[in-house]
């Protein structure tokens, strides 16, 4: 029987300067994963709180006095010789001039350039938390009341939803394409990102992203869209996640966490099952399946980018003003 992997709890900090740049440090040649860039921090010692451990590490490594703030994400990551728990906290204030007191290189990086730096697997989801939305809305089927569906979409965008997947399997291809064009225009106007469910060709035509189905992953040999168009992947197994990572997907959606009406009969992962899969890949991963905004902190505590949902993020349909009632609905193909 193989010996269990040793467990290590590391606390790291996201430190920003007045220009909004993020501080990264480079791992030394004598450390594990030499030459990779990471968020500064170190091991939490017995008897220390996370705040005490991170403040101590930043003073020892960088020579700064730091005020440790809220949890951003806690990433479980399995390596060949250890099981890491990377707890990442926001640094709300700091004093001093950061310098590599242990000979390590430092660099300040604009947030939009963080993904260009090679990092250990556990640090990659942290970049996701800093750069990608924590909520991912999957639209419900339009149904007969298409005007009401559009009103609900507008309310979702007004509420601050920044990433949307258009999922409308009940529509014929022509109807879906027409709806996709309208939703793409609404998302562009609101500054939100749109991904189309499975339709790579239409996404390429409209200049939006695509959410790949799990059945599509194995058939693809390369990322299907350029880097400026988001590619997500719907995953249920470790094989799905590994293929999504190999394709260079920007994120994955993993579930279901709980039983849902949209996936009747599917075996729920639960948070333990989510962690078991989460720790074996380096991807931002949304949890999906019976989750609401109330689960966001729990999701982040288990290494999730955030939550993806249909009903929990879709506003209730407001009735049209009386003056508009009786007018024709939006044309359907």
């Amino acid at each position: 029987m193989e010996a269990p992997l040793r467990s290590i709890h590391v606390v790291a900090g996201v430190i920003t300067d007045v220009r909004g740049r993020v501080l990264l440090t480079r791992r030394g040649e004598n450390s594990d994963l030499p030459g990779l860039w990471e968020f500064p921090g170190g091991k939490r010692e017995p008897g220390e709180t996370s705040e005490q451990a991170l403040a101590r590490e930043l003073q020892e490594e960088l020579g700064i006095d730091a005020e440790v703030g809220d949890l951003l994400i806690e990433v479980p990551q399995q390596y060949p010789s250890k099981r890491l728990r990377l707890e990442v906290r926001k640094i709300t204030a700091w004093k001093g001039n950061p310098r590599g007191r242990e000979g390590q290189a430092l660099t300040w990086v604009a947030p939009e350039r963080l993904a260009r730096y090679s990092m250990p697997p556990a640090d990659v989801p942290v970049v996701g938390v800093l750069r990608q939305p924590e909520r991912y809305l999957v639209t419900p089927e339009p149904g007969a009341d298409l005007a009401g569906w559009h009103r609900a979409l507008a309310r979702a965008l007004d509420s601050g939803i920044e990433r949307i997947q258009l999922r409308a399997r009940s529509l014929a291809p022509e109807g879906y394409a027409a709806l996709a064009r309208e939703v793409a225009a609404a998302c562009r106007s609101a500054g939100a990102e749109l991904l189309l469910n499975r339709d790579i060709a239409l996404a390429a035509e409209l200049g939006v992203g695509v959410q790949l189905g799990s059945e599509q992953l194995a058939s693809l040999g390369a990322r299907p869209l350029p880097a400026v168009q988001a590619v997500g992947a719907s995953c249920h197994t470790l094989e799905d996640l590994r293929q999504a990572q190999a394709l260079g997907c920007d994120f994955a959606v993993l579930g279901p966490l709980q039983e849902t009406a949209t996936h009747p009969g599917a075996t729920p992962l639960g948070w333990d099952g989510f962690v078991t899969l989460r720790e074996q890949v380096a991807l931002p991963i949304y949890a999906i399946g019976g989750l609401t905004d109330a689960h966001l902190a729990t999701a982040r505590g288990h290494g999730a980018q955030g939550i993806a949902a249909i009903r929990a993020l879709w506003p209730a349909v407001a009735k049209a003003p009386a003056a508009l009632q009786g007018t024709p609905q939006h044309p359907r193909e």
Side-chain angles (χ1 to χ4, degrees):
M1 177 181 291
E2 293 184 3
L5 297 176
R6 60 193 177 104
S7 296
I8 299 176
H9 186 171
V10 170
V11 190
V14 174
I15 304 170
T16 55
D17 66 7
V18 294
R19 294 168 57 185
R21 298 178 302 174
V22 180
L23 183 63
L24 298 180
T25 60
R26 196 169 194 176
R27 297 182 66 82
E29 294 303 319
N30 295 324
S31 63
D32 294 339
L33 305 173
L36 298 185
W37 294 92
E38 64 184 0
F39 297 91
K43 296 178 185 177
R44 176 174 160 175
E45 301 296 343
E48 287 185 313
T49 66
S50 295
E51 292 83 357
Q52 290 169 340
L54 184 53
R56 173 185 54 77
E57 287 285 348
L58 296 181
Q59 174 55 235
E60 292 174 356
E61 290 187 10
L62 304 177
I64 63 173
D65 297 318
E67 294 182 15
V68 180
D70 293 338
L71 175 75
L72 292 175
I73 189 172
E74 196 162 315
V75 183
Q77 192 73 48
Q78 183 175 317
Y79 291 92
S81 61
K82 61 186 177 184
R83 177 168 275 116
L84 180 70
R85 176 182 167 196
L86 178 62
E87 179 182 349
V88 183
R89 307 290 288 266
K90 180 178 177 61
I91 301 303
T92 56
W94 50 278
K95 297 179 182 178
N97 181 30
R99 62 192 187 282
R101 298 184 70 185
E102 299 175 352
Q104 72 274 35
L106 311 180
T107 187
W108 291 96
V109 183
E112 64 272 15
R113 294 178 176 268
L114 285 170
R116 300 182 184 184
Y117 285 74
S118 296
M119 295 183 175
D123 290 73
V124 174
V126 183
V127 177
V129 166
L130 297 178
R131 297 292 300 147
Q132 299 187 39
E134 64 182 2
R135 298 183 296 165
Y136 183 24
L137 167 62
V138 182
T139 66
E141 293 294 326
D145 183 11
L146 194 53
W149 188 94
H150 277 285
R151 291 196 299 273
L153 175 66
R155 291 182 62 193
L157 292 170
D158 288 343
S159 75
I161 292 290
E162 297 178 322
R163 176 173 275 169
I164 292 176
Q165 178 192 154
L166 177 59
R167 187 177 185 273
R169 295 186 180 181
S170 61
L171 296 182
E174 296 82 3
Y176 183 81
L179 182 61
R181 291 185 178 90
E182 294 173 345
V183 175
C187 288
R188 279 194 296 270
S189 179
E193 183 179 57
L194 174 64
L195 292 89
L196 303 185
N197 180 267
R198 291 177 168 81
D199 199 327
I200 298 170
L202 184 58
E205 176 188 335
L206 299 182
V208 299
V210 68
Q211 179 74 25
L212 300 173
S214 57
E215 77 286 351
Q216 290 178 290
L217 294 173
S219 66
L220 294 172
R223 180 186 171 97
L225 294 174
V228 293
Q229 292 169 253
V231 177
S234 297
C235 298
H236 307 289
T237 66
L238 179 58
E239 290 71 24
D240 291 343
L241 289 170
R242 284 176 170 164
Q243 178 64 3
Q245 180 170 282
L247 290 174
C249 291
D250 299 293
F251 64 90
V253 176
L254 178 62
L257 260 289
Q258 305 175 29
E259 288 189 24
T260 65
T262 52
H263 292 87
T267 302
L269 283 174
W271 286 115
D272 288 345
F274 181 90
V275 166
T276 297
L277 299 179
R278 149 80 282 169
E279 68 178 0
Q280 298 183 68
V281 293
L283 273 175
I285 303 176
Y286 290 96
I288 193 170
L291 304 179
T292 70
D293 278 344
H295 295 98
L296 273 170
T298 300
R300 287 282 175 89
H302 288 84
Q305 169 71 23
I307 65 162
I310 301 175
R311 279 172 291 278
L313 299 179
W314 186 252
V317 177
K319 289 185 178 181
L324 297 180
Q325 292 183 12
T327 58
Q329 289 188 357
H330 191 282
R332 300 258 322 255
E333 295 287 336

